[in-house]
Amino acid sequence: MFRFANGEYLYLLALIPLLMVLLALVSHRRKRLLARFGNTEIIKELIPDFSAARIRLKALLYLTALTLLIFAAARPQLGSKLREEKAEGVEMMLVVDVSNSMLAEDFEPNRLERTKYAINKLFEGLQQERVGLVAFAGEPKVQLPITSDYRMAQAFAKRLSPTLVGEQGTDVGKALELAMLSFSSQSERSRVIVLITDGENHEDDAIAVAQKAAQMGIRIYTIGIGTPEGAPIEIDGEFVKDENGEMVVSKLGEAMLEEIATTTKAAYVRATKQSIGLEEIVKSINEMERSELTTVRYEEYNEQYQWLVAVAVALLLLDVVILSRRNPRLRKFNIFRE
C-alpha cells in the first residue's frame, strides 16, 4: 500500500510550472538584450565561454531537485504492517433514538441535534474505550461496529438522522438486542450500552431484553432526553398530527428507562438543557473493572522520503559543480554539443 503521510505539501508542485514559465521568460529576455548589441552569431564569437545549454541543464537540475524535495516533504510511505495493541478498557455501544419524536424542540435546536453534539464531545474525551453506534426507530441499524477510531465515530455520529432507518416508531427492545450482539469482547466485566432516547417505547419487550443483558453481565445506562411537558414535532415546516387531526406532543417517558437501568445495575440520567448526562455516565464507567482489549492496527509504514532527499541533494551538488560558462581547459571536448 502506498500513501503520502503529509499530502498537503503536494500542493507546492504548482510552483514548478510557474518557475518553468519564469525561467523561459528570463531566457527570452536575455536573448532580446543580446540582440540589441548586434548580430547574434558575431556576439557568440565574442563570448565563446557562454553556454546556453549549461544554463538550461542547471535549470533542469534545480527544478528536478525541487520537485523531489516537495515529494519528500509529503512523506511517501510504502507497505504496511499489522500491529497488535493491548490495553485495559471498556466496550461501549451507544444506542441512539432517531425517531421523528427526537425532532421535538424542547431542547435546542432539537433533541437529536443536542444528542449528536453531546456524543461528539464524548468521543473527544475517550482514550482506551472502544465504541460502536446503533441508530434505531421502528427498526435498529448498526451504524458503526466496535472501533477505537474516534474520528470515524465522530463522522458517523454527525450523520444521525431519522432518514437512516426505513421504519418509524420506537422499538427499544430490538435496538438493545442488536447492540448486545455487536460487542467484540465476551468479557462480562467490560461491556456497556448507553441508551439515549425520549422514552416513548411502542413495544413492550425492552424490560425482558434488559433482564437478558443483566444475565450476560452487560450494563445498560439510560439517558432520557426531553421534558415531561413535551413539545410538538415539526417536520419540513409542518407539525405532526394524529388520526384525529390533533397535534402530537412528544413527552419524556422515564419509567421504562429507570427500570432498564435498575435491572442491569446501571444508572438512569435525565438530560438537562445544560448537559445531556454523558459525563456522569462516563464517570461511572471509569469506575468499572476493565478487561484487556486487543486491537489490530495497520499503521506502520516504511518511509521512502530519504531516497528522494538523497537524489535531490545529488542533483543540487551537480548543479553547483556544473558552471554556467565553459571551462577554457575543457572547451575542446564540447560535452554539451553546441
Side-chain angles (χ1 to χ4, degrees):
M1 182 178 178
F2 179 82
R3 72 169 190 175
F4 287 101
N6 300 325
E8 61 274 12
Y9 286 104
L10 294 177
Y11 290 112
L12 294 174
L13 290 173
L15 295 174
I16 303 302
L18 295 177
L19 289 174
M20 292 175 66
V21 172
L22 180 61
L23 290 172
L25 291 174
V26 170
S27 176
H28 180 69
R29 178 176 172 78
R30 183 173 58 245
K31 289 180 180 179
R32 289 180 59 188
L33 291 175
L34 286 175
R36 291 181 181 180
F37 290 98
N39 186 281
T40 306
E41 296 301 323
I42 295 176
I43 294 175
K44 287 183 178 180
E45 294 295 331
L46 296 175
I47 49 174
D49 294 336
F50 175 78
S51 174
R54 287 170 179 264
I55 294 176
R56 289 195 294 269
L57 177 61
K58 287 172 66 66
L60 178 62
L61 292 174
Y62 176 78
L63 291 175
T64 304
L66 180 59
T67 301
L68 292 176
L69 289 175
I70 291 174
F71 277 113
R75 289 180 57 201
Q77 297 176 333
L78 186 64
S80 63
K81 299 178 182 178
L82 287 175
R83 185 176 69 186
E84 190 176 87
E85 290 185 350
K86 293 184 178 181
E88 297 290 323
V90 171
E91 287 194 345
M92 180 192 309
M93 287 298 301
L94 290 173
V95 180
V96 182
D97 187 350
V98 294
S99 62
N100 286 334
S101 62
M102 289 291 285
L103 299 178
E105 298 179 358
D106 45 3
F107 279 66
E108 294 183 357
N110 59 48
R111 297 172 182 175
L112 183 57
E113 290 300 320
R114 189 70 181 83
T115 298
K116 289 160 63 174
Y117 174 79
I119 292 174
N120 184 69
K121 299 299 289 184
L122 167 69
F123 290 154
E124 288 179 357
L126 294 181
Q127 293 182 348
Q128 301 295 340
E129 283 71 26
R130 291 198 292 197
V131 297
L133 186 61
V134 171
F136 77 97
E139 61 179 6
K141 286 187 177 180
V142 176
Q143 294 301 310
L144 178 70
I146 286 289
T147 180
S148 57
D149 188 338
Y150 299 136
R151 288 187 178 180
M152 182 184 296
Q154 287 176 314
F156 276 84
K158 290 177 180 178
R159 296 173 52 199
L160 289 172
S161 165
T163 60
L164 290 177
V165 293
E167 182 180 340
Q168 277 300 313
T170 309
D171 194 333
V172 175
K174 281 186 179 180
L176 293 177
E177 281 186 330
L178 182 59
M180 290 163 58
L181 294 173
S182 301
F183 288 108
S184 62
S185 171
Q186 299 303 313
S187 172
E188 295 186 357
R189 301 173 298 173
S190 60
R191 292 179 294 175
V192 172
I193 294 175
V194 179
L195 171 64
I196 306 176
T197 177
D198 52 25
E200 288 192 340
N201 187 38
H202 298 164
E203 305 295 335
D204 59 358
D205 59 344
I207 305 303
V209 176
Q211 292 172 348
K212 182 180 178 181
Q215 294 172 0
M216 297 171 62
I218 300 174
R219 295 187 185 184
I220 304 177
Y221 290 86
T222 57
I223 295 177
I225 181 166
T227 59
E229 300 78 20
I233 305 169
E234 185 177 355
I235 301 177
D236 296 330
E238 295 185 2
F239 291 103
V240 177
K241 297 181 180 180
D242 60 19
E243 297 176 354
N244 300 321
E246 298 292 331
M247 187 180 297
V248 174
V249 177
S250 174
K251 300 180 180 180
L252 174 62
E254 296 183 286
M256 176 195 66
L257 300 179
E258 291 176 342
E259 188 171 354
I260 289 175
T262 301
T263 301
T264 59
K265 298 181 181 179
Y268 164 72
V269 177
R270 179 197 284 188
T272 66
K273 294 182 180 180
Q274 289 73 37
S275 172
I276 289 294
L278 283 171
E279 297 87 351
E280 293 87 339
I281 289 177
V282 169
K283 288 180 182 178
S284 298
I285 292 174
N286 287 337
E287 296 173 359
M288 291 176 56
E289 186 176 358
R290 298 174 179 272
S291 297
E292 185 178 84
L293 303 177
T294 301
T295 303
V296 177
R297 296 185 182 274
Y298 298 82
E299 288 187 346
E300 296 185 3
Y301 292 84
N302 296 318
E303 298 282 356
Q304 304 297 316
Y305 71 89
Q306 60 270 23
W307 305 106
L308 298 177
V309 172
V311 175
V313 170
L315 292 177
L316 290 174
L317 290 175
L318 186 59
D319 177 61
V320 172
V321 171
I322 297 176
L323 301 176
S324 57
R325 294 178 178 273
R326 297 189 185 95
N327 189 328
R329 296 179 181 178
L330 301 177
R331 188 185 301 162
K332 62 181 179 179
F333 294 105
N334 196 16
I335 301 173
F336 296 95
R337 301 296 177 188
E338 290 192 350

